[in-house]
Amino acid sequence: MLPYDAMLTLLLLAQSVRGDMINASSHLADWSGRSLFTSDGGGVMFDWLGVTARVQVTNATYVGATIATTANRGTRLKAYASGQGFMLFPQVQFWVDPRLTSPYTLWLSPNPESTIITLENMVAPQYSTGTTSVLTFETDGTFKALPPTARLGGATNRRIEFVGDSITAATNIVRPEGATHYCGDGGYQSDWSQTYEALLCHRFGASCSTVAVGGKCVMRECGGLQMPDYYLATMYADAPQATYNFSAGWVPDAVFIDLGTNDMRAISKLGPSGMTAFANQTVNFMLGASARYGSRDIEFFLNAGPMENATMEGTLSAVAQASAAGLRATFVDMRGACAGARLHQPDDSDQCDGCAGHPGIEGHRGMYEAAWPVMARVM
């Protein structure tokens, strides 16, 4: 967390904007994703990708936000404005720079108008993005309360949680076509807004939360911190401390789990019992989530593919076991999600368009197309 005097300086600078200013934790700002609302005027803190804020302004030509970071290079954010009959109309994206002391511009218009501004976090915290603090929103117009239909989750308050590894963490999703010899990301090639989960979140108008770390497993035998540890943390850096308050009131209608690719190293190590152990630990993860949220009504969705399908047997077994245990579990077949993608690496056996077998923009679109009809039918 930033020192109080640094936050105060940023707040004072933000107050130089004529018009209206609200703290990011104001009831006029709607948030989704794991975050921490500070009590000392420090706004809203977060680090997980996909964390989203939304505000509405009237009679405005400008909307900005004062944002701080604990990292040498903070995360990358994308701002949208409602317009042309579409809730999310891309406006701008930017890296959070610790040297910047003036508000970031989220939206500009030549004429005063009313609009809804949405701000999303694009990059996973594993890329050394630190903790981000949105301190204030400011405008030359006036902030007003969002109508129920425009709130994150809509009038029906839809809620979806996504748990996964590098695919869900948006790794290499915007890797340039033809860049066949370099698989580094560093957050530059990440973009949550183009992932399968963001597309699902936008389609269903849901309030969403994404907990994803590249290279991680559901199985403890992988060694070190794994997704069961990160799942308990409000911030990525908190793990393995269990800091997330599951009883705070945000209970998902659905939890989409995309894990298994990295578990193959544990499955192989265990030998014949490996796939059974993977299925059992996947079910235990689901039971744990249901218990922590205090709900047996959560719809769990588990997939296979497109990056690999070696754990499909265990995933199908986990769905069957979870259903037998009284959970609501559905399999989503994503094996063909990359089939139509243009290749960035001709030697990728799964034909995905990202680096090292990962799906890129087209692969994620294929994952989304495979998932949304199943989710819509089930829910």
Side-chain angles (χ1 to χ4, degrees):
M1 184 173 178
L2 287 176
Y4 180 76
D5 56 347
M7 288 186 174
L8 182 60
T9 299
L10 289 168
L11 286 169
L12 290 173
L13 286 166
Q15 290 173 0
S16 64
V17 177
R18 291 185 178 182
D20 198 4
M21 182 179 71
I22 60 172
N23 192 287
S25 60
S26 165
H27 71 282
L28 297 176
D30 196 24
W31 286 85
S32 67
R34 295 189 177 186
S35 54
L36 181 62
F37 284 56
T38 62
S39 58
D40 59 357
V44 179
M45 300 172 58
F46 58 89
D47 64 2
W48 291 112
L49 76 167
V51 171
T52 302
R54 180 171 288 170
V55 295
Q56 182 170 2
V57 294
T58 60
N59 196 34
T61 65
Y62 163 82
V63 177
T66 304
I67 307 170
T69 179
T70 61
N72 291 329
R73 183 215 66 191
T75 192
R76 191 171 76 250
L77 301 174
K78 180 179 283 189
Y80 306 83
S82 61
Q84 301 183 9
F86 188 60
M87 179 61 75
L88 296 172
F89 197 79
Q91 293 293 309
V92 65
Q93 59 176 295
F94 54 89
W95 289 100
V96 179
D97 187 342
R99 299 164 296 181
L100 185 65
T101 57
S102 59
Y104 291 85
T105 298
L106 307 183
W107 176 79
L108 287 172
S109 175
N111 301 303
E113 57 182 281
S114 299
T115 191
I116 294 170
I117 303 298
T118 302
L119 187 66
E120 293 178 345
N121 184 24
M122 299 293 101
V123 184
Q126 71 193 70
Y127 294 116
S128 302
T129 56
T131 299
T132 303
S133 295
V134 179
L135 304 176
T136 64
F137 292 100
E138 45 268 348
T139 182
D140 59 350
T142 304
F143 289 101
K144 62 178 294 185
L146 288 157
T149 53
R151 294 184 66 84
L152 296 165
T156 58
N157 201 24
R158 303 178 190 90
R159 297 173 174 181
I160 308 175
E161 182 173 69
F162 298 91
V163 183
D165 49 32
S166 58
I167 294 177
T168 308
T171 297
N172 278 307
I173 190 171
V174 291
R175 182 171 179 270
E177 185 173 5
T180 58
H181 303 296
Y182 178 68
C183 286
D185 189 315
Y188 290 97
Q189 298 170 30
S190 302
D191 187 344
W192 181 85
S193 69
Q194 300 194 68
T195 61
Y196 76 92
E197 69 263 26
L199 295 173
L200 289 169
C201 188
H202 293 169
R203 182 183 185 93
F204 293 120
S207 170
C208 293
S209 179
T210 300
V211 182
V213 184
K216 299 302 178 181
C217 311
V218 74
M219 297 178 69
R220 292 294 184 183
E221 288 82 357
C222 286
L225 297 181
Q226 299 302 329
M227 287 315 299
D229 302 299
Y230 290 102
Y231 188 64
L232 304 181
T234 301
M235 306 282 178
Y236 167 80
D238 292 347
Q241 299 178 70
T243 56
Y244 184 64
N245 185 2
F246 287 87
S247 62
W250 194 93
V251 179
D253 304 303
V255 175
F256 197 107
I257 301 173
D258 182 9
L259 291 170
T261 300
N262 301 297
D263 289 272
M264 278 307 302
R265 62 180 186 262
I267 292 171
S268 298
K269 181 169 62 177
L270 293 175
S273 64
M275 197 62 72
T276 299
F278 168 71
N280 291 342
Q281 292 187 52
T282 300
V283 173
N284 288 339
F285 184 87
M286 298 162 69
L287 288 169
S290 178
R292 290 184 178 92
Y293 280 120
S295 174
R296 301 287 285 191
D297 295 326
I298 297 172
E299 297 284 356
F300 288 93
F301 295 92
L302 284 72
N303 73 305
M307 190 170 175
E308 57 77 41
N309 304 299
T311 56
M312 181 173 173
E313 174 191 342
T315 300
L316 289 171
S317 177
V319 169
Q321 290 182 50
S323 299
L327 296 178
R328 301 179 178 182
T330 301
F331 175 69
V332 180
D333 189 350
M334 292 182 170
R335 289 175 294 172
C338 288
R342 294 169 297 169
L343 305 186
H344 288 180
Q345 288 194 161
D347 60 342
D348 282 348
S349 60
D350 53 12
Q351 298 189 343
C352 275
D353 53 322
C355 189
H358 287 77
I361 293 175
E362 295 178 42
H364 274 270
R365 183 78 190 190
M367 294 175 70
Y368 156 76
E369 294 290 356
W372 79 258
V374 177
M375 297 179 72
R377 182 174 63 251
V378 169
M379 302 183 67

